[in-house]
Amino acid sequence: YRIQVLPIGDKFKEFIGVVTLIQDITKLKEIDEMKSDFISTVSHEFRTPLTSMSMGTGLLLEGIPGPLTENQKELVEAMKEDQERLKNLVNDLLDLSRIESGKIEMNIRGNELKKIVEESVKAFEHQAKDKNIELSYCIEENLPLVRADFNKVSWILINLIGNAMRYTPRDGSGKIQIEGKRTGSIVLVSVSDNGIGIPQEYRKKIFEKFVQVKDREGNPTGGTGLGLAICKEIIEAHGGQIWVKSKLGKGSSFYFTLAIEKS
Ligand code: ADP
């Protein structure tokens, strides 16, 4: 059952009572599970043909069946790019459906946040240099251990840093900073950039599946629109929260919370 308690007010917006809504959501849950199973099966079935297609294009580009003309090479390269995009989409969909259905086990234990951050930042050292973006991190001294699944939280950071990289200028002014500090009984982690920012109306929605901010021409901006939805699922499985603060044209800061491991 889903129980919702909704406050009600009179015409002067004064609080006058509550309405309690009790809904039987068994059917909804069943449909949701069917949907998850369907997505998981379809994504799985997509993987095998995709792998063989991508092997084929790889061989063509290496010139193994014979040399390609410049025009043919361009065409095969475009095909390879689309295959990569499709592969990412299928992998994201699989991850999401596994997390949603609770099929991915969370290995939540006491971990050093600094180690998780270091590991995630390492994955971007080359990209940051190539794109001329300053990537740095600052983790408070003597931070207690956080309750986290090392690989999953690293996955979140990699996603947030990857997004920040994508939407930050490459003219040498781009900066991305990761911070970790204790606030009360939790640890707050943030990934901030000084990139394009996110319009107000999207700030909540981007954590939903397939939501992408459209660019000026009305096209979605690369990616799959699943990364932040997966981040949210993972953080919620940790009992934490994730949100964003942003100023259009100035940059964005993504925040998430982790619990402290009791010693
Ligand atoms: P995608 O695969 O499209 O990056 P995400 O779920 O990770 O999917 O992000 C959803 C959308 O949120 C992106 O398409 C982008 O429009 C916006 N977004 C995410 N991170 C940033 C950022 N750091 N700066 C500006 N826009 C962002």
Side-chain angles (χ1 to χ4, degrees):
Y1 287 95
R2 175 163 66 197
I3 303 172
Q4 277 178 294
V5 182
L6 308 163
I8 47 170
D10 60 16
K11 60 181 176 195
F12 306 109
K13 302 225 162 59
E14 288 284 325
F15 174 77
I16 52 172
V18 294
V19 172
T20 308
L21 196 65
I22 303 172
Q23 273 175 300
D24 180 354
I25 56 168
T26 323
K27 201 90 212 139
L28 281 178
K29 271 196 127 160
E30 264 172 29
I31 294 172
D32 218 47
E33 272 165 25
M34 273 167 66
K35 201 179 71 192
S36 277
D37 279 350
F38 175 72
I39 291 176
S40 159
T41 314
V42 170
S43 329
H44 219 90
E45 293 299 319
F46 271 26
R47 277 230 285 218
T48 321
L50 254 176
T51 310
S52 63
M53 275 159 72
S54 128
M55 267 170 63
T57 42
L59 290 175
L60 280 170
L61 285 175
E62 279 174 42
I64 292 182
L68 299 179
T69 65
E70 272 314 302
N71 284 346
Q72 289 168 334
K73 213 169 153 188
E74 245 174 61
L75 208 64
V76 181
E77 265 162 7
M79 278 161 65
K80 186 139 190 86
E81 261 173 46
D82 277 346
Q83 283 164 359
E84 286 305 312
R85 284 204 4 233
L86 204 53
K87 250 200 259 175
N88 288 340
L89 179 64
V90 165
N91 286 336
D92 281 359
L93 272 172
L94 260 178
D95 280 347
L96 190 62
S97 68
R98 283 193 190 129
I99 298 170
E100 276 181 336
S101 60
K103 277 188 197 134
I104 281 192
E105 237 178 80
M106 292 281 164
N107 183 11
I108 299 176
R109 58 175 72 194
N111 267 303
E112 259 182 66
L113 178 67
K114 195 164 176 203
K115 285 211 176 118
I116 310 182
V117 171
E118 273 169 357
E119 175 102 356
S120 318
V121 167
K122 226 184 341 178
F124 285 96
E125 268 164 13
H126 285 292
Q127 212 188 106
K129 246 193 215 139
D130 283 349
K131 294 186 172 167
N132 212 356
I133 291 173
E134 188 188 314
L135 174 63
S136 61
Y137 61 88
C138 171
I139 309 297
E140 198 176 83
E141 293 271 325
N142 303 323
L143 199 66
L145 296 183
V146 290
R147 284 189 53 70
D149 178 319
F150 193 101
N151 293 329
K152 306 276 179 332
V153 173
S154 172
W155 194 97
I156 295 179
L157 282 168
I158 288 175
N159 249 275
L160 296 180
I161 302 169
N163 278 347
M165 286 275 173
R166 208 179 304 156
Y167 304 111
T168 300
R170 297 162 190 201
D171 57 5
S173 65
K175 282 197 181 89
I176 299 172
Q177 211 199 9
I178 299 120
E179 250 191 338
K181 59 181 178 199
R182 185 180 179 152
T183 55
S185 58
I186 52 161
V187 167
L188 184 66
V189 188
S190 62
V191 177
S192 305
D193 65 61
N194 60 351
I196 61 171
I198 299 163
Q200 167 84 48
E201 67 270 26
Y202 277 100
R203 284 177 208 155
K204 269 215 175 97
K205 278 203 296 205
I206 50 169
F207 294 96
E208 290 168 22
K209 284 173 238 178
F210 301 113
V211 175
Q212 295 184 301
V213 180
K214 298 206 169 53
D215 66 13
R216 271 192 218 115
E217 282 87 45
N219 303 313
T221 46
T224 62
L226 285 172
L228 290 174
I230 300 177
C231 291
K232 187 164 179 259
E233 288 286 337
I234 297 176
I235 278 301
E236 285 176 356
H238 278 75
Q241 281 175 307
I242 184 164
W243 68 95
V244 66
K245 279 189 184 162
S246 183
K247 264 207 173 117
L248 210 53
K250 294 258 188 284
S252 313
S253 294
F254 283 83
Y255 298 87
F256 64 88
T257 58
L258 289 169
I260 288 169
E261 171 83 348
K262 290 194 187 79
S263 47

